[in-house]
Amino acid sequence: MFSNINTTPNSAQILTSLKQYAPQVSYFTAAQQTAIAGATTLTQMQTALNFDVTNNELAYRGQERSDYNMSVGQSELASGQAYYNAKYPLTETTSLYSFGGVSYRNGKSYAFNRLPNGSGTFTQVYENGFLPEIESDILDASAAVGVNTELFGFDTDLSTNLGTNSFKYDVNNTINATLGTNSPFSFDAGKVSFLQSTTNLDFSKKYDVLAGLNVAFGGEFRYENYQIKAGEEASYGLYDVNGDFVSGILPSNSPLIVTDFFGNKRGAGAQGFSGFQPSDAKEKDRKSGAAYVDLELNATEKWLVNGALRYENYSDFGSTVIFKLASLLKLNDNINWRISGQTGFRAPSLQQKYFESSSTQFINGAPYQVGYFTNDSEAAKSIGVENLKPEKSKSISTGFTFKIPEANITIATDAYFTRIDDRIVLTGQYSRPTDAQIAAATTPEQAEALTLFQQAFDTKGVERASFWTNGINSETKGIDLVISQKYDVIPDFIIRNDFALSYNETKRVGDLNVPQSIIDAGGEPYKYSFFPESSRVYLEEAIPKLKANLMTTFSIKKLDIYLRNSYFGKVTDPGATDVNLDGFSSVYEHPEYSAKLVTDLSLGYQINEHFRATIGFNNIGDVYPDRNNPATPAFTNTTPTLSPAPSTDLSNANQFAYSRAVSQFGLNGRFGFARLSFKF
């Protein structure tokens, strides 16, 4: 009887129907029935019906709240792979080789449950709401062919590689709510694909200089292609009350907006995952060429020196030269010391430069259309975001290897430091500027920037968006330690122990690389959103700084017993909540999840030279991460003021027992398996 509740000509009929059937609802209170019966306008009826009777309605339907839980956990996956590796000698010095493979994966995962009273649900289609299913078809294929030979006295390798990856999205058991009962239930949401081809020519030769000199040089040509294909129109489209496709978004007071009964606008596109739009669709490529020289000199029997130089030229980022220097010194028969230093260069990937999409995300329980703008989009340019440039790095590492022959022990230890300048990061989410924000601008330049930013959001049809930028500089430092020991107990009984420990930390250093134009456009909130507190936690604290594992293998003739203990250090959740339950919350207060120890055990038996059987358990102790914090008070001291305020309920109304932002080792608990291997 209505598409837009605010402009429907059937208000009298709607009121009459509601008053006719309301008395049949036994759980409405007398006061509620009186308010419904007394409503003479739709506004009054909306007020009269604006109460929570969820438990009563569930009882009437014979349901429980758990019937509306999301599907959380490991996604369903079916996959198959096939690989080959071949080599054919042509002459005594020349061989032809090839290797490659293909793999296919079909996955199914789920979005947030759309409840019956949500604006994204159409109860005439899904009476009890629905759980959108996102299906992915992933195809990977690669092949290489090359020839090894001797040319002009040099060992020569000429090869070419081709690899492709495609990711196709389908969304099922869902609707485009703006189409109502005319909506399909399944959508082709589009596809992304990437192709890379490399051709390499490498030469190497050893010379009798001092204790030995190895010379290597060569070149590489690389071609990359990235494509986004749009989905069908209904997968991304916004439709008006007449069922006509709308380009962009409609003004907030437009009578053409499709609404629910309470006047909330219905979301565009397939609920759960909006398809790629024609404005997202593109095909981009680039070419690059490189040349290198690598010299390795054994100055003495105990001292090795290595140096390498590489030149690269990108069709979209120009040229660079990077180098590496390294040395290895044998202090004695059992101790080696090594050190190396190098510079690095990483051009932004084509995906970082050109990926665009939009989808529905829930913030504080409310759905928002969230998009990704390309770095060179009009939205980014409107507030002065600079085009992406390459990351540059400097690093140094040093380490020792030790042998203790009498105990059959080897020890390797390394320390390293890496500095990355102009590191590429994804900004926080920027909100669409409101008309009030534009009207409150203090300068004409600010008003113009905010207006252009708003127009870019409207063209994309989103309310919040992020983009890639060379936002920060970072430093990473750490140490690695590996100890291996082998013990022959008796004939045909061997015990091997391998212990590995790594500690590393990454920190943002220096000031944010925030263009002044962004600060001018939105002040401190815009500066904060450039690299928000959650992004800092993701970078610095969301993965364990300390990891260790001890692997023990008992080999008894044809039987192998594997026992592995893995230690995962503590992590911090980027989500913010009232951790200490003092009644205050801020974006700088995060849950911390404690360290855990996980044990794996398996037994393998070599049946014969062709067959091997293995059974075992991963996480035999059924260890889980710490549980999510319960719902806590709303933010009272958020700095800066953010709209909408971040959620303080990290469990999303008890839907997520464990963090969905970080994971030390997964949350699947104990996993048992049996495997039969065949080798020929």
Side-chain angles (χ1 to χ4, degrees):
M1 288 191 282
F2 71 90
S3 293
N4 184 311
I5 193 66
N6 300 312
T7 59
T8 177
N10 301 317
S11 56
Q13 186 179 354
I14 294 171
L15 290 171
T16 299
S17 297
L18 290 171
K19 292 178 181 181
Q20 176 183 353
Y21 293 108
Q24 301 176 24
V25 182
S26 60
Y27 55 75
F28 282 176
T29 66
Q32 291 166 347
Q33 293 283 13
T34 299
I36 293 170
T40 58
T41 66
L42 285 178
T43 301
Q44 291 176 354
M45 184 62 76
Q46 289 168 341
T47 301
L49 290 172
N50 191 18
F51 50 83
D52 185 0
V53 287
T54 302
N55 292 331
N56 308 81
E57 181 64 20
L58 287 172
Y60 172 77
R61 299 186 185 199
Q63 298 174 326
E64 298 179 357
R65 287 181 181 268
S66 59
D67 294 327
Y68 292 88
N69 280 349
M70 298 170 54
S71 179
V72 179
Q74 183 170 314
S75 301
E76 180 182 335
L77 178 67
S79 65
Q81 303 89 28
Y83 297 94
Y84 75 94
N85 191 355
K87 186 174 183 179
Y88 182 75
L90 300 176
T91 68
E92 290 186 1
T93 59
T94 304
S95 295
L96 184 68
Y97 65 87
S98 180
F99 57 87
V102 60
S103 72
Y104 171 77
R105 288 167 287 171
N106 174 263
K108 292 181 181 179
S109 61
Y110 297 90
F112 283 88
N113 207 330
R114 269 44 177 186
L115 301 177
N117 63 344
S119 61
T121 305
F122 223 83
T123 50
Q124 294 96 317
V125 180
Y126 293 105
E127 180 181 359
N128 294 318
F130 58 94
L131 185 63
E133 176 188 283
I134 303 171
E135 183 176 355
S136 59
D137 288 302
I138 305 171
L139 180 64
D140 294 292
S142 64
V145 62
V147 59
N148 290 318
T149 189
E150 187 175 306
L151 192 63
F152 307 117
F154 286 86
D155 292 332
T156 305
D157 188 302
L158 174 63
S159 65
T160 186
N161 258 285
L162 178 67
T164 64
N165 166 267
S166 65
F167 199 126
K168 183 180 182 298
Y169 296 90
D170 291 294
V171 193
N172 305 314
N173 193 47
T174 186
I175 59 169
N176 182 327
T178 61
L179 280 173
T181 55
N182 295 319
S183 172
F185 303 146
S186 295
F187 301 84
D188 172 5
K191 183 171 77 170
V192 295
S193 61
F194 180 69
L195 177 148
Q196 184 181 82
S197 173
T198 61
T199 300
N200 297 79
L201 178 61
D202 302 293
F203 300 91
S204 64
K205 186 175 183 179
K206 294 182 178 180
Y207 293 90
D208 292 327
V209 177
L210 297 179
L213 171 66
N214 187 73
V215 177
F217 61 93
E220 176 185 84
F221 174 79
R222 182 165 67 244
Y223 172 78
E224 297 175 328
N225 179 276
Y226 178 62
Q227 295 184 42
I228 300 177
K229 293 186 177 180
E232 62 179 289
E233 182 183 276
S235 72
Y236 59 82
L238 169 67
Y239 295 87
D240 63 20
V241 295
N242 300 312
D244 296 326
F245 177 78
V246 177
S247 178
I249 66 174
L250 294 166
S252 58
N253 59 350
S254 172
L256 296 177
I257 292 177
V258 179
T259 73
D260 65 8
F261 177 78
F262 290 97
N264 302 306
K265 67 177 182 179
R266 297 193 183 275
Q271 289 290 306
F273 185 90
S274 296
F276 293 108
Q277 304 177 23
S279 59
D280 301 329
K282 55 180 65 73
E283 180 176 359
K284 299 290 183 178
D285 60 12
R286 75 169 167 215
K287 307 174 186 67
S288 67
Y292 74 93
V293 59
D294 190 320
L295 304 176
E296 187 175 273
L297 174 65
N298 286 288
T300 69
E301 293 294 334
K302 296 186 176 182
W303 184 27
L304 180 145
V305 181
N306 172 246
L309 195 70
R310 183 180 178 92
Y311 167 82
E312 292 191 74
N313 179 269
Y314 289 80
S315 59
D316 52 353
F317 285 107
S319 303
T320 187
V321 176
I322 57 176
F323 70 88
K324 175 183 178 181
L325 295 173
S327 182
L328 173 66
L329 182 63
K330 296 182 179 180
L331 300 178
N332 58 41
D333 290 341
N334 296 317
I335 302 177
N336 294 335
W337 172 62
R338 57 180 178 266
I339 186 170
S340 67
Q342 63 188 44
T343 60
F345 174 95
R346 192 188 77 83
S349 67
L350 292 178
Q351 291 88 338
Q352 288 174 325
K353 285 188 66 178
Y354 298 116
F355 178 76
E356 288 187 87
S357 76
S358 61
S359 62
T360 306
Q361 292 186 14
F362 281 74
I363 303 171
N364 286 345
Y368 288 84
Q369 285 299 110
V370 177
Y372 295 94
F373 291 137
T374 60
N375 183 262
D376 60 352
S377 65
E378 290 303 318
K381 290 178 180 178
S382 68
I383 56 171
V385 176
E386 299 171 349
N387 287 341
L388 285 178
K389 55 187 177 182
E391 297 176 339
K392 295 184 178 181
S393 66
K394 298 176 183 177
S395 62
I396 186 171
S397 64
T398 185
F400 290 88
T401 59
F402 305 87
K403 292 181 181 179
I404 307 175
E406 56 271 22
N408 214 3
I409 293 176
T410 60
I411 302 172
T413 180
D414 286 280
Y416 53 88
F417 173 85
T418 301
R419 161 86 182 215
I420 300 177
D421 291 324
D422 299 320
R423 183 166 180 157
I424 299 173
V425 294
L426 187 66
T427 68
Q429 291 181 357
Y430 284 87
S431 297
R432 174 186 178 273
T434 64
D435 293 341
Q437 285 176 297
I438 296 173
T442 57
T443 66
E445 292 77 15
Q446 183 185 27
E448 181 182 9
L450 291 174
T451 300
L452 291 173
F453 207 28
Q454 183 192 68
Q455 291 172 354
F457 275 82
D458 293 350
T459 299
K460 189 75 174 174
V462 297
E463 298 157 290
R464 297 168 70 84
S466 303
F467 43 82
W468 295 99
T469 180
N470 297 95
I472 64 170
N473 305 322
S474 70
E475 290 180 353
T476 299
K477 54 187 176 183
I479 57 171
D480 292 330
L481 173 66
V482 178
I483 302 175
S484 299
Q485 188 262 350
K486 177 183 176 184
Y487 178 52
D488 296 312
V489 183
I490 58 175
D492 295 326
F493 183 15
I494 300 171
I495 299 176
R496 297 182 181 87
N497 290 295
D498 295 287
F499 174 76
L501 178 147
S502 70
Y503 177 85
N504 74 80
E505 63 178 21
T506 298
K507 295 285 187 182
R508 194 205 91 197
V509 294
D511 295 331
L512 292 174
N513 303 329
V514 189
Q516 185 61 41
S517 54
I518 289 183
I519 301 175
D520 293 342
E524 284 300 315
Y526 272 32
K527 181 179 179 180
Y528 174 86
S529 295
F530 190 79
F531 188 73
E533 169 69 1
S534 58
S535 295
R536 183 199 66 79
V537 175
Y538 271 121
L539 176 73
E540 299 181 356
E541 302 176 25
I543 60 174
K545 295 181 180 179
L546 178 62
K547 294 181 182 179
N549 70 74
L550 174 61
M551 175 90 174
T552 301
T553 305
F554 302 91
S555 298
I556 309 170
K557 294 186 177 181
K558 294 183 177 182
L559 176 67
D560 291 318
I561 302 173
Y562 303 93
L563 177 66
R564 180 173 59 196
N565 289 287
S566 300
Y567 175 88
F568 299 88
K570 65 182 181 180
V571 295
T572 301
D573 196 308
T577 189
D578 182 14
V579 177
N580 57 14
L581 301 179
D582 63 356
F584 296 90
S585 302
S586 85
V587 292
Y588 302 103
E589 191 172 357
H590 309 278
E592 186 178 277
Y593 305 125
S594 61
K596 301 291 181 180
L597 183 66
V598 177
T599 301
D600 303 329
L601 176 65
S602 64
L603 290 81
Y605 186 78
Q606 192 70 43
I607 300 171
N608 55 42
E609 62 178 328
H610 297 297
F611 288 93
R612 181 178 182 82
T614 305
I615 60 172
F617 289 92
N618 292 337
N619 193 359
I620 195 170
D622 203 26
V623 177
Y624 285 85
D626 293 345
R627 296 180 71 89
N628 253 328
N629 274 46
T632 58
F635 284 98
T636 55
N637 61 339
T638 300
T639 304
T641 301
L642 303 176
S643 177
S647 174
T648 58
D649 179 12
L650 302 184
S651 70
N652 193 55
N654 297 316
Q655 298 276 1
F656 296 97
Y658 306 99
S659 173
R660 57 187 171 126
V662 298
S663 176
Q664 294 152 289
F665 51 88
L667 45 81
N668 291 329
R670 183 187 298 116
F671 174 76
F673 63 90
R675 181 170 61 241
L676 180 65
S677 304
F678 174 71
K679 182 179 180 181
F680 62 92

